[in-house]
Amino acid sequence: MSATLPASGTRTARAASAVHPGYRTLWRWHFYAGLFVMPFLIVLAITGTIYCFQPQIEPLLYPHRLVVTPQESPRLPADDLLARARASQPADAKPIRAHIDTNPARSAEFVFALANGSKESVYLNPYSGDVLGTLDVDSRFMQVDRMLHRKLLLGKPGELLMELAACWTLVMIGTGVALWWPRRASAADRKRATLRAALWPHLGATGRPFWKSLHSVIGIWLAVGALAFVVSGLPWTGSWGKQFKALATRVNAGAPRGAWGGGLPLKSAPPAAPMDHSEHAGHDMSSMPGMVMDDLPLPNVPWAVGAVRVPQSPAAATHESVRFTLDQVVQRMGALGVASGYDIALPSTATGVYTVSYFPSDPQRERTVYIDQYSGRILKDIRYADYGAVSQVISYGTSLHMGRYFGLANQVICTAISLGLAALAVTGVVMWWLRRPGRTVGAPSRERAAPPMRAWKAGLAMLAVIFPLMGATIVAVLLLDRLIFGTPRTLSVS
């Protein structure tokens, strides 16, 4: 659409402004948010939908590695399977993770760190011990899809871009709902603004009015779900999410109180020392340097414990002892009520511990357990009830976001929201194309006498404070809007 419209178009813009002061201001911000967000929304929608169906897709992609024929004979011990997997790898390969799954139709999986820095999964028939094949962990289809979803395969820059896209989606949702909200001046207009018209597309329209109707209706139906998607995904982002997790951990609103420090000292008993079964006795692990849970080679770690430091076995290297076996760890977890579907990060040093991460679809069953590699003593057993209030909410949000909480129905709902967001992006592009201006970006015109819109400005300021990275881009958009796209123009709002 050209920069200047005939008188009829001008009257349309004036009418819209008259019935809804601030309409064009909101439209302008909606345009800027959509301009940035739309390509990312399409990527997020496709990759998110695929990842949502990981349990169904992966066995189809790798049937000869992941799927086995159930047999009457018992499964081989975990230590025997690990030894066979180790024998199939180079001598300098180090086992770092074991996946424990009692599903009779699934293979056994162990992950090794190779000398070249890569990680490789080894799959075995749990009945015969035969090696079924290997997969590079980072090249696995679902891992590539996950990294596309989180960081566009661009590392930290991609992670920041995706975080910004999520933040600006909040602006797009807020302005979209405000633009949709029926405000009519005349009785005739009020009659047309029925609930049906607001929630159902005008299928009889053609051209841009049809696409605008479709875009508006899709957006309003998806508003709540899209908002839930964004809010539940932001805690997992690499910049803001990481800082928010660390803050929640420090104030005991995220990680369990005392993990680590703050009243619950832990001890990993040296082998030659008398075993103390008191959970609260011994060395204060909060003073021990080491990795946090997010650093471990685990596929999924509950958000609540991601920033928690992993305990060590102090002075264990000076004592001669036999390591607690993998089968004993499995038995210990079975006694705790966790029999299948969890991962064990294996001790990589003489002072390491067995770290068990159980990340089921029901957040209330999440478990993180640390087991001394020599004595087999449980150093800490973290459950959902131990989480802070923030982490308990985020745990539910994560399960719903990933389509895991209530099975196939959850997956279908997530798919509908994801594909609906992609449809919003596509219809937005079509609307822009139909009114495309010549040699300009096509931003809606600025109102000559815009109302104060204090609530809108306060909302932007709040977002800028909560999400500092987004705050910097808001300032950048304001500057660009004034310096480059600042010439007032009159555009039709139809």
Side-chain angles (χ1 to χ4, degrees):
M1 182 173 290
S2 60
T4 303
L5 295 178
S8 61
T10 303
R11 284 194 299 270
T12 304
R14 289 174 180 170
S17 181
V19 299
H20 186 174
Y23 182 96
R24 279 182 287 162
T25 299
L26 292 172
W27 185 21
R28 195 173 179 88
W29 278 93
H30 188 72
F31 174 85
Y32 287 141
L35 188 69
F36 171 66
V37 164
M38 282 189 290
F40 299 106
L41 275 183
I42 294 175
V43 174
L44 286 168
I46 295 173
T47 57
T49 299
I50 292 173
Y51 195 76
C52 185
F53 286 92
Q54 179 183 8
Q56 292 93 336
I57 292 175
E58 280 209 314
L60 298 177
L61 293 176
Y62 311 112
H64 301 298
R65 296 178 180 88
L66 272 63
V67 181
V68 298
T69 302
Q71 299 181 17
E72 294 294 333
S73 58
R75 299 166 67 97
L76 294 175
D79 287 294
D80 288 354
L81 292 169
L82 176 57
R84 290 171 184 257
R86 191 197 303 266
S88 71
Q89 293 293 295
D92 53 4
K94 296 181 179 179
I96 57 175
R97 172 163 57 92
H99 179 69
I100 306 301
D101 195 334
T102 58
N103 184 337
R106 296 303 293 266
S107 61
E109 178 186 1
F110 299 93
V111 178
F112 290 80
L114 305 184
N116 61 8
S118 64
K119 295 187 289 291
E120 187 168 80
S121 290
V122 180
Y123 300 92
L124 302 95
N125 185 312
Y127 305 103
S128 66
D130 295 336
V131 175
L132 303 176
T134 62
L135 285 174
D136 184 281
V137 171
D138 294 327
S139 299
R140 190 166 171 164
F141 177 80
M142 281 300 171
Q143 179 65 10
V144 173
D145 179 78
R146 184 183 184 185
M147 291 300 102
L148 269 171
H149 190 77
R150 295 187 63 180
K151 55 183 70 175
L152 297 172
L153 299 179
L154 297 177
K156 194 64 177 180
E159 204 167 33
L160 295 177
L161 278 173
M162 284 308 210
E163 181 177 320
L164 277 175
C167 293
W168 277 96
T169 299
L170 296 175
V171 176
M172 190 181 70
I173 294 171
T175 54
V177 171
L179 291 171
W180 165 87
W181 200 264
R183 290 180 178 88
R184 305 289 181 178
S186 67
D189 282 337
R190 282 196 298 271
K191 185 177 180 180
R192 286 193 295 269
T194 62
L195 185 63
R196 176 181 172 82
L199 298 177
W200 191 258
H202 185 26
L203 301 178
T206 58
R208 190 168 183 273
F210 166 76
W211 290 102
K212 180 181 179 182
S213 173
L214 185 62
H215 182 84
S216 301
V217 170
I218 292 174
I220 204 62
W221 276 104
L222 291 179
V224 174
L227 180 64
F229 254 36
V230 173
V231 172
S232 60
L234 277 170
W236 292 91
T237 57
S239 177
W240 182 86
K242 185 176 182 179
Q243 297 302 318
F244 179 60
K245 184 189 296 183
L247 175 63
T249 301
R250 283 197 296 270
V251 300
N252 295 314
R257 178 176 291 275
W260 310 117
L264 293 181
L266 302 174
K267 178 182 178 181
S268 183
M275 187 175 299
D276 184 354
H277 293 280
S278 172
E279 181 185 39
H280 294 226
H283 184 78
D284 184 359
M285 296 309 300
S286 65
S287 65
M288 293 295 296
M291 298 184 296
V292 297
M293 283 292 294
D294 281 338
D295 296 328
L296 294 182
L298 294 165
N300 292 299
V301 172
W303 189 88
V305 299
V308 169
R309 282 189 291 175
V310 180
Q312 296 180 332
S313 299
T318 63
H319 297 77
E320 294 183 2
S321 180
V322 177
R323 176 189 280 187
F324 206 62
T325 68
L326 184 58
D327 282 302
Q328 288 175 306
V329 173
V330 172
Q331 292 171 8
R332 182 60 55 88
M333 292 306 300
L336 293 176
V338 181
S340 178
Y342 60 91
D343 290 272
I344 305 173
L346 306 176
S348 58
T349 66
T351 58
V353 298
Y354 286 104
T355 303
V356 180
S357 180
Y358 183 45
F359 194 62
S361 57
D362 183 356
Q364 295 203 33
R365 296 169 56 208
E366 290 180 1
R367 298 282 283 274
T368 303
V369 182
Y370 302 97
I371 300 176
D372 185 285
Q373 68 165 308
Y374 299 103
S375 69
R377 189 171 72 94
I378 296 175
L379 303 176
K380 188 70 176 176
D381 180 1
I382 303 174
R383 311 185 187 200
Y384 174 86
D386 300 317
Y387 295 172
V390 170
S391 286
Q392 289 186 343
V393 172
I394 290 176
S395 293
Y396 271 98
T398 298
S399 189
L400 290 166
H401 183 99
M402 297 175 67
R404 293 154 35 102
Y405 185 55
F406 49 93
L408 182 60
N410 197 167
Q411 292 175 309
V412 171
I413 291 173
C414 287
T415 299
I417 295 174
S418 295
L419 297 183
L421 288 171
L424 278 179
V426 171
T427 54
V429 170
V430 172
M431 289 167 59
W432 172 83
W433 181 258
L434 290 176
R435 72 166 186 85
R436 62 191 183 281
R439 299 181 181 180
T440 68
V441 73
S445 60
R446 185 184 297 111
E447 293 177 276
R448 297 182 183 276
M453 302 182 71
R454 295 184 182 89
W456 164 246
K457 292 176 182 177
L460 276 182
M462 184 172 64
L463 285 175
V465 171
I466 296 174
F467 306 106
L469 183 63
M470 183 190 182
T473 61
I474 288 176
V475 173
V477 169
L478 286 170
L479 291 175
L480 288 173
D481 182 52
R482 292 289 176 181
L483 298 176
I484 300 178
F485 310 125
T487 304
R489 290 185 299 275
T490 304
L491 292 172
S492 170
V493 297
S494 61

